[in-house]
Amino acid sequence: MTNTVVVGTQWGDEGKGKIVDLLSEHADCVVRFQGGNNAGHTMVVNGKEIISHLIPSGIIQQKKCFIGNGVVVDPFVLLDEIDYLTDNNIDVSPNMLQISNRAHIIMPYHQAIDKAREEKKGKNKIGTTGRGIGPCYEDKATRRGIRFADLLDLDLFKEKIVTLMEEKNFYLEHYFKAETLDPEMVIDQFMTIRERLLPYIADVSVTLSKSMKQGKAVLFEGAQGTHLDIEHGTYPFVTSSSTVSGNAANGSGVGPGKLDEIIGIVKAYTTRVGAGPFPTELFDEIGDKIQKTGAEFGATTGRKRRCGWLDMVVLENAARLNSLTGMAITKLDVLDDLDEIKICTAYEYDGKTIEHFPPEIKVLENCTPVYETHPGWKEDTSGITDYDKMPEKAKAYLDRIEELSGVPIKIVSVGPGREATMIKENIF
């Protein structure tokens, strides 16, 4: 297996966790390159559901895992996750997991500001998870962040907290009318976990470079999806980091020339959690049926996902932005019982046809999807492991996705377990 990037092509929740878990078997190292614990990957291993929020899914396969510099990390959540995985007999020792010394730390005041800001916005809220990811990235951009490297210098760490919290508390008290935080209490909280964190801190960029020189294959794991990207997504209803494949290099500390294969994960329909435009969203019984059959609830928040038909305007955008070399289609089995299935091939707005994803939120909110209709296959695909044995109408649906996107389908998933997977084109 070559160095491979896995990205979501829609609004996240495409099933990246399972595909990363599957590909991890053939990789030597797995690195997470962006986001925070506002994302979650759900894997089903031997019938048991395992959920990770920060640690790369490859840890399930007991591969060497890395949290890159592009990730913002809540260390308390990280340690809880380490304990959770350890309780499930998964080795998460410092020999198996390293955190970039350049990764930024989510502080308690980031969470306080995140929650206060959403509350103040009221009905205009973005739908953030309130976990402090956005405010942490803000401090990173304004050069006021605290990195894991700072934990190595205790005096500097304490000094930065006291200095930064003077401003944060003023903001909380006078603008949000919210409770302030005690700097000494925050310092004391970190003192209780510092010694446990130190063995995990490393120069991930250097380690990955050495691994690649030794011929080891690296799998780059992203969070969320292309259309939550801070640059290219449905701004401002986006996440706070770049979710596209180009950031796999920047967020891990490797050169872009090291990226060989880029696999886009595509749910066989479309879902979205939280607020923001969603042109193909269904508000009828079919949308409800897809939501229930697909058990569409967020792995991190538990929020009910909005459901709609597959949107090729979205997928074309993702294929171009990520330079996809292949796709993995997930949850095809959720569509098994439908009489007909629709694919959105374009939008109509103000009497004009739109074929490329527009940046204007008001345009997106008022677009009408242009659909083509395909007959449902009305057969159970969940037990099929040989692509040639798929129903002909299901294969026709997949062929059309390939044709419209211009990207080959390499993997098809028809269930949550590892065994419910068909390899259409070998990438290992």
Side-chain angles (χ1 to χ4, degrees), residues 149-411:
D150 295 326
L151 283 172
L152 304 176
D153 185 335
L154 195 53
D155 290 336
L156 175 64
F157 180 73
K158 292 178 179 180
E159 180 184 331
K160 290 183 77 169
I161 287 180
V162 171
T163 302
L164 288 166
M165 287 192 65
E166 181 180 2
E167 177 189 332
K168 303 301 181 186
N169 278 332
F170 183 88
Y171 189 36
L172 284 166
E173 179 181 4
H174 296 286
Y175 183 69
F176 292 117
K177 312 301 181 187
E179 290 186 23
T180 59
L181 301 174
D182 180 359
E184 293 303 320
M185 186 177 296
V186 171
I187 292 170
D188 288 345
Q189 285 179 323
F190 275 87
M191 291 306 98
T192 64
I193 63 171
R194 178 176 177 268
E195 292 302 318
R196 194 176 170 197
L197 288 170
L198 292 181
Y200 288 97
I201 302 172
D203 194 328
V204 166
S205 173
V206 171
T207 305
L208 288 175
S209 178
K210 289 179 179 178
S211 296
M212 289 177 177
K213 286 178 181 178
Q214 294 168 359
K216 294 183 177 179
V218 179
L219 181 62
F220 297 84
E221 170 186 331
Q224 289 101 18
T226 296
H227 294 85
L228 290 178
D229 184 274
I230 187 69
E231 304 281 352
H232 303 288
T234 48
Y235 192 90
F237 299 96
V238 293
T239 193
S240 305
S241 59
S242 179
T243 61
V244 296
S245 61
N247 196 36
N250 187 46
S252 304
V254 304
K258 299 295 185 181
L259 309 180
D260 302 308
E261 186 100 34
I262 301 169
I263 302 297
I265 314 303
V266 184
K267 194 176 287 184
Y269 45 99
T270 308
T271 61
R272 179 167 195 165
V273 171
F278 182 0
T280 65
E281 184 173 8
L282 293 169
F283 299 96
D284 56 13
E285 65 277 5
I286 295 177
D288 290 339
K289 180 179 176 59
I290 291 173
Q291 195 277 326
K292 290 173 184 175
T293 305
E296 294 294 353
F297 296 93
T300 297
T301 63
R303 290 182 291 182
K304 186 176 178 179
R305 294 176 188 144
R306 301 152 64 191
C307 296
W309 295 119
L310 183 65
D311 188 334
M312 293 307 303
V313 180
V314 163
L315 188 49
E316 182 275 335
N317 198 45
R320 174 169 37 81
L321 292 171
N322 292 292
S323 292
L324 296 183
T325 61
M327 296 184 293
I329 305 295
T330 62
K331 289 199 168 185
L332 184 70
D333 56 301
V334 174
L335 305 179
D336 284 351
D337 292 335
L338 299 182
D339 294 321
E340 61 180 29
I341 299 164
K342 295 183 179 182
I343 297 177
C344 170
T345 57
Y347 303 149
E348 282 188 357
Y349 175 76
D350 197 24
K352 298 178 181 178
T353 299
I354 298 176
E355 296 180 344
H356 300 288
F357 199 74
E360 304 93 341
I361 289 297
K362 286 188 177 180
V363 172
L364 274 171
E365 288 175 337
N366 293 284
C367 279
T368 301
V370 177
Y371 286 119
E372 59 180 35
T373 303
H374 296 257
W377 42 92
K378 304 292 288 183
E379 295 181 47
D380 182 7
T381 62
S382 62
I384 300 175
T385 56
D386 183 347
Y387 185 80
D388 291 336
K389 296 180 180 178
M390 285 278 287
E392 289 303 318
K393 290 178 181 177
K395 287 195 282 188
Y397 179 67
L398 296 173
D399 288 345
R400 185 58 175 154
I401 295 173
E402 283 189 327
E403 181 183 358
L404 289 168
S405 67
V407 181
I409 294 171
K410 300 193 175 184
I411 299 173

